Amino acid sequence: MKRSLLLVEDDMLMREFITDYFKKEEWEVYEAENGTIALDIFDQTSVDLVVLDIMMPEMDGWSVCRRIREKSDVPIIIITARSEDDDQVLGFELGADEYLTKPFSPRVLVARATVLMKRTEGTIGRKGDLLIYGNLLVNRNAHAVSLAGNAINLSPKEYDLLVFLIKHYGKVLSREHILDAVWGYDYYGDLRTVDTHIKKLRAKLGDEGRYICTVIRSGYKFEMEV
């Protein structure tokens, strides 16, 4: 099956260079030189992946990412010359799936894209506002979670934590990252808050709680068993 890509990059040479590599791997590529054009293309075309530069004229990549996330779960890879940790955290909080710092090899970008597509097309299901993992169903539109058709009662923070882990499927998230994203930067609690909520969330998810994996000395990730 041929995949389609929306490439948003204001540097024409960089855009052409990346496009050539994706086309060699039989991707269909739609190009946009700024955020405004990108959103127009996105609204008119169905794409499987968005590769998004941050520093652009007219509308920056953060704004484009935010606008796309308001309407779609399409995977997003951010590319940028900025390597600051705060920028990466912001990217993930806005819903980006991967973050790649310039300069980079287009081959690495294509490889990242391929892995990301396998992750989202493989064992998990995304149907609009429904996220399906085994017997676990998350209805983001209704803020409802069920197991094998039976509703389960999650607290608001447990729900936010579950959705945040799912949004970063397969990615290891540190306790600090989780705490900042789910509880906010102005929260004064400690990292044990994350561990406590993970424990409670796993218990409520029953057998499907195994999808929340502990990564020793690193944090947690949400991933179905292969």
Side-chain angles (χ1 to χ4, degrees):
M1 179 180 65
K2 193 169 186 177
R3 297 180 177 125
S4 59
L5 161 73
L6 172 57
L7 172 61
V8 192
E9 166 64 66
D10 63 319
D11 186 310
M12 183 180 67
L13 293 178
M14 173 67 75
R15 198 167 63 243
E16 291 178 353
F17 196 37
I18 293 173
T19 295
D20 286 344
Y21 270 83
F22 273 96
K23 285 186 174 180
K24 286 178 183 177
E25 297 300 322
E26 299 186 345
W27 285 70
E28 183 177 9
V29 182
Y30 299 91
E31 299 181 35
E33 63 188 44
N34 61 55
T36 302
I37 294 174
L39 290 176
D40 286 341
I41 294 175
F42 189 82
D43 288 338
Q44 299 173 26
T45 310
S46 177
V47 297
D48 299 305
L49 174 69
V50 176
V51 174
L52 176 62
D53 188 21
I54 293 303
M55 307 302 292
M56 294 185 299
E58 296 191 32
M59 182 185 297
D60 64 26
W62 303 130
S63 300
V64 175
C65 185
R66 187 181 294 110
R67 292 276 294 275
I68 289 176
R69 274 293 167 261
E70 290 174 355
K71 63 184 76 175
S72 173
D73 286 323
V74 64
I76 298 175
I77 298 178
I78 285 178
I79 56 175
T80 179
R82 299 170 61 93
S83 59
E84 288 83 355
D85 289 345
D86 287 347
D87 285 341
Q88 296 192 36
V89 170
L90 176 59
F92 290 133
E93 288 178 349
L94 290 176
D97 297 274
E98 291 283 355
Y99 191 103
L100 201 58
T101 304
K102 297 178 181 178
F104 57 83
S105 164
R107 291 179 60 189
V108 171
L109 176 58
V110 173
R112 292 274 190 95
T114 301
V115 170
L116 181 57
M117 294 310 301
K118 287 181 179 178
R119 184 192 306 167
T120 57
E121 292 172 349
T123 54
I124 67 174
R126 292 175 179 249
K127 299 180 179 179
D129 287 315
L130 298 180
L131 306 176
I132 305 168
Y133 308 83
N135 290 321
L136 172 65
L137 185 148
V138 180
N139 185 332
R140 294 195 303 171
N141 188 50
H143 276 229
V145 179
S146 63
L147 285 171
N150 299 311
I152 60 174
N153 183 29
L154 298 183
S155 70
K157 275 291 179 277
E158 289 167 350
Y159 176 84
D160 290 344
L161 176 59
L162 176 60
V163 170
F164 181 72
L165 291 170
I166 289 174
K167 282 173 61 178
H168 300 290
Y169 183 93
K171 182 180 293 295
V172 179
L173 303 167
S174 69
R175 289 170 175 83
E176 291 87 350
H177 187 178
I178 295 171
L179 194 69
D180 288 343
V182 178
W183 278 265
Y185 289 106
D186 56 351
Y187 178 74
Y188 290 102
D190 58 33
L191 299 180
R192 287 175 296 181
T193 298
V194 175
D195 297 328
T196 299
H197 279 73
I198 289 285
K199 182 178 180 180
K200 291 180 179 178
L201 182 56
R202 280 176 173 153
K204 290 185 177 182
L205 296 181
D207 289 341
E208 260 54 2
R210 68 187 186 277
Y211 301 152
I212 303 176
C213 310
T214 301
V215 182
I216 303 300
R217 292 188 294 276
S218 296
Y220 298 98
K221 67 176 178 177
F222 187 96
E223 189 170 49
M224 294 182 70
E225 295 177 349
V226 179

